[in-house]
Amino acid sequence: MLSLFDLSLQLNGYPIKRANADLLKITALSELDKQVFIEQKKKEIVSFHLENNPFYRELVGEKDCNNWADLPILNKKNLQKPLQERLSNGYTLKNIYRNKTSGSSGDPFVFAKDKYCHALTWASNIYRFGWYGLDFNNSYQARFYGIPMDFIGNKKERLKDFLSNRFRFAIFDLSDPVLEEFLTHFRNKKFDYINGYTSSIVLFAKFLQRKNIVLKDICPSLKVCMVTSEMLFEDDKLLLEKQLGIPIVNEYGASELDLIAFENPEGDWQVNSETLFVEILDENNCVLPYGKEGRIVITSLFNKAHPFIRYDIGDIGILDKKSILQKPILKKLIGRTNDIAVLPSGKKAPGLTFYYITKSIIEDDGNVKEFTIKQTKIDTFQIKYVSDNELNLVQIEKIEQAIILYLEPNLKFSFIRKAVLKRNKRGKLKQFKSMV
């Protein structure tokens, strides 16, 4: 008998029972069989979209469809057109799953999945959460996410929360009085796990640190915390482990695709090779060997409603040298391709370089709760931060010296103290942004 969460999916046309069974068969394949499976699925999805999707046919043009490496790289600019123009034959707005990306890449768009593909996305989540003894139908989730503020959107999301057995902590206001209310819920509810945006959970952990509280002590039912959607820095992970008192699991996904990588119990960031095919490409679109840094390009092996074939997600990463086709490992996620700072000398540096350098200095005394960096001109950067007190001259000088050491001299910085930092509509905090 289906439980409430599974039943709600099934009633809405998402065949979760079939998807769960199919996913388990894929995970049981041997390495040789997995290789055959992936090659077969790559050919099938390309063939389907060439035959049934005019948008993809036009994108491919005269390229050799029999050679995978010759297929075009799909990017977010290609998708800036009405969804109806990108759907495959037989799919309409009434028989698909439709959603919109968050826009954190700067190029938001509406996307679609056929209902079986979306059911597989849920099956993928269920399977991986099961590594930690969690059950979507029964485990109680403390959810640190944004929520629509309009009446209908808000009620829809609350209904989803009810059906999914989760309690939502809305993260648009993370002031101390609100975090105190969060704490009260943890005292009174038997949560099994935490799931949500990294920056919000880190901010809550800093609040717990100031109060000298370990969350597990007041909510003994907690087992694990999954963080997603934003970079997890090593010192933040240590803070979370200490103040939450539970294992911290790093998740990397994209709403238009699936879970891309999920930290397994051995501590490896295991790539989803059941529903996705992940490649690392250089600037000439050539596949790089394991261990080399490049653009993350992903193929959705099952989505027939909308093509995501060799789709450049906009991130830079490295697959570990110990990866195998059956079990690829994401060694490092470096950041977004559009988060590159171009400096006066011509040097290019990932924007998160500034964040790493600055973070270690301005958080030394625990005064600064969170901050963001924006490049406004080629030599000018603006740091907005939330803290109990203004940054002092010693801290500012340390930041400037570190940037000279790691990057280059004569860069200009302004420091602006804020009561709160602006998040996007979904509650994500963009840690670095270049306006150049």
Side-chain angles (χ1 to χ4, degrees):
M1 183 177 176
L2 292 173
S3 297
L4 187 60
F5 176 71
D6 287 351
L7 184 61
S8 67
L9 285 173
Q10 203 77 37
L11 290 174
N12 282 289
Y14 301 102
I16 188 63
K17 191 174 180 180
R18 174 188 161 200
N20 281 330
D22 288 350
L23 191 80
L24 288 177
K25 288 177 186 175
I26 299 170
T27 61
L29 293 173
S30 67
E31 187 173 353
L32 181 59
D33 288 341
K34 185 68 169 286
Q35 186 170 354
V36 172
F37 164 81
I38 290 173
E39 289 305 314
Q40 177 187 337
K41 285 297 172 187
K42 284 162 61 180
K43 288 178 183 176
E44 283 180 7
I45 201 67
V46 170
S47 176
F48 179 87
H49 284 299
L50 284 173
E51 188 174 334
N52 296 282
N53 193 287
F55 162 75
Y56 189 66
R57 266 202 310 273
E58 183 182 344
L59 185 72
V60 171
E62 301 300 318
K63 291 185 173 65
D64 182 2
C65 305
N66 295 312
N67 187 355
W68 181 262
D70 289 336
L71 290 173
I73 304 302
L74 177 67
N75 60 52
K76 297 186 181 186
K77 295 289 185 187
N78 300 139
L79 304 172
Q80 303 294 315
K81 56 173 60 181
L83 179 60
Q84 291 94 323
E85 296 178 21
R86 294 181 270 123
L87 290 177
S88 299
N89 298 335
Y91 292 97
T92 69
L93 299 181
K94 293 182 178 179
N95 65 0
I96 57 168
Y97 169 78
R98 178 175 53 161
N99 206 340
K100 186 177 182 180
T101 63
S102 67
S104 58
S105 66
D107 298 304
F109 62 90
V110 178
F111 66 89
K113 295 180 186 179
D114 62 80
K115 292 200 168 185
Y116 173 66
C117 177
H118 189 57
L120 271 177
T121 297
W122 279 114
S124 174
N125 277 268
I126 290 165
Y127 170 68
R128 285 165 175 78
F129 277 52
W131 292 346
Y132 295 90
L134 299 176
D135 178 350
F136 263 57
N137 285 290
N138 300 305
S139 299
Y140 194 20
Q141 180 190 140
R143 189 171 182 82
F144 283 68
Y145 270 72
I147 189 168
M149 301 309 289
D150 65 285
F151 180 81
I152 294 175
N154 188 279
K155 294 305 178 189
K156 278 185 178 179
E157 212 62 36
R158 292 295 184 191
L159 177 60
K160 287 181 189 176
D161 288 340
F162 171 74
L163 294 173
S164 303
N165 199 27
R166 62 199 188 201
F167 180 87
R168 185 179 300 250
F169 295 90
I171 56 175
F172 296 115
D173 180 358
L174 293 171
S175 58
D176 280 7
V178 174
L179 294 177
E180 193 69 59
E181 291 176 17
F182 287 10
L183 196 55
T184 300
H185 285 293
F186 278 99
R187 292 186 195 277
N188 298 327
K189 293 179 170 65
K190 293 183 177 180
F191 291 115
D192 291 294
Y193 66 110
I194 297 170
N195 182 228
Y197 296 156
T198 308
S199 63
S200 303
I201 300 173
V202 167
L203 200 61
F204 184 50
K206 290 178 180 178
F207 169 78
L208 295 172
Q209 186 180 48
R210 294 195 301 275
K211 295 181 73 72
N212 198 26
I213 291 173
V214 174
L215 196 60
K216 175 80 170 174
D217 292 343
I218 65 168
C219 186
S221 56
L222 276 177
K223 299 181 183 73
V224 66
C225 170
M226 280 83 173
V227 295
T228 189
S229 294
E230 299 162 338
M231 296 289 285
L232 175 64
F233 299 96
E234 187 58 33
D235 53 348
D236 283 340
K237 185 175 184 179
L238 294 172
L239 171 73
L240 291 173
E241 287 172 343
K242 181 182 177 184
Q243 295 307 140
L244 303 185
I246 51 179
I248 308 302
V249 174
N250 203 357
E251 175 189 303
Y252 169 44
S255 56
E256 65 270 36
L257 296 169
D258 200 333
L259 277 178
I260 299 168
F262 197 81
E263 189 173 342
N264 64 27
E266 290 76 48
D268 289 325
W269 220 356
Q270 188 170 328
V271 172
N272 172 1
S273 62
E274 290 80 38
T275 71
L276 305 176
F277 176 64
V278 177
E279 302 172 272
I280 305 294
L281 304 187
D282 66 14
E283 57 188 15
N284 298 313
N285 297 334
C286 296
V287 177
L288 290 166
Y290 294 147
K292 296 293 184 180
E293 171 190 319
R295 291 151 46 229
I296 300 176
V297 172
I298 303 176
T299 298
S300 177
L301 297 172
F302 289 90
N303 192 354
K304 291 184 175 179
H306 186 292
F308 283 105
I309 298 170
R310 306 202 85 197
Y311 166 58
D312 188 335
I313 193 171
D315 290 336
I316 303 169
I318 303 170
L319 288 176
D320 201 297
K321 287 182 179 178
K322 66 182 178 182
S323 296
I324 57 174
L325 191 65
Q326 190 179 23
K327 188 179 175 182
I329 302 296
L330 186 63
K331 181 179 181 181
K332 195 174 184 182
L333 182 63
I334 294 159
R336 305 206 70 88
T337 50
N338 67 335
D339 288 342
I340 302 294
V342 179
L343 304 179
S345 66
K347 181 177 181 178
K348 294 181 180 179
L352 285 171
T353 306
F354 293 87
Y355 192 83
Y356 276 115
I357 293 167
T358 309
K359 180 180 176 63
S360 61
I361 296 168
I362 69 177
E363 292 190 341
D364 276 351
D365 61 358
N367 174 42
V368 176
K369 298 172 184 176
E370 56 182 0
F371 67 96
T372 59
I373 301 174
K374 182 191 289 185
Q375 184 180 21
T376 56
K377 298 178 183 176
I378 196 164
D379 64 345
T380 306
F381 297 81
Q382 183 184 84
I383 298 178
K384 293 182 180 179
Y385 65 97
V386 177
S387 68
D388 296 324
N389 305 298
E390 293 270 358
L391 286 177
N392 58 48
L393 291 175
V394 173
Q395 289 171 307
I396 290 173
E397 189 173 326
K398 278 184 180 178
I399 293 168
E400 291 171 346
Q401 290 301 315
I403 286 168
I404 290 171
L405 178 63
Y406 289 100
L407 293 167
E408 63 184 60
N410 303 317
L411 299 178
K412 302 167 191 171
F413 284 81
S414 61
F415 296 84
I416 303 170
R417 185 178 167 215
K418 307 284 288 185
V420 294
L421 293 179
K422 186 178 180 181
R423 288 171 154 78
N424 72 9
K425 289 182 180 179
R426 296 195 181 185
K428 293 183 185 180
L429 182 69
K430 191 165 180 62
Q431 290 150 333
F432 177 85
K433 185 175 183 179
S434 177
M435 307 298 289
V436 177

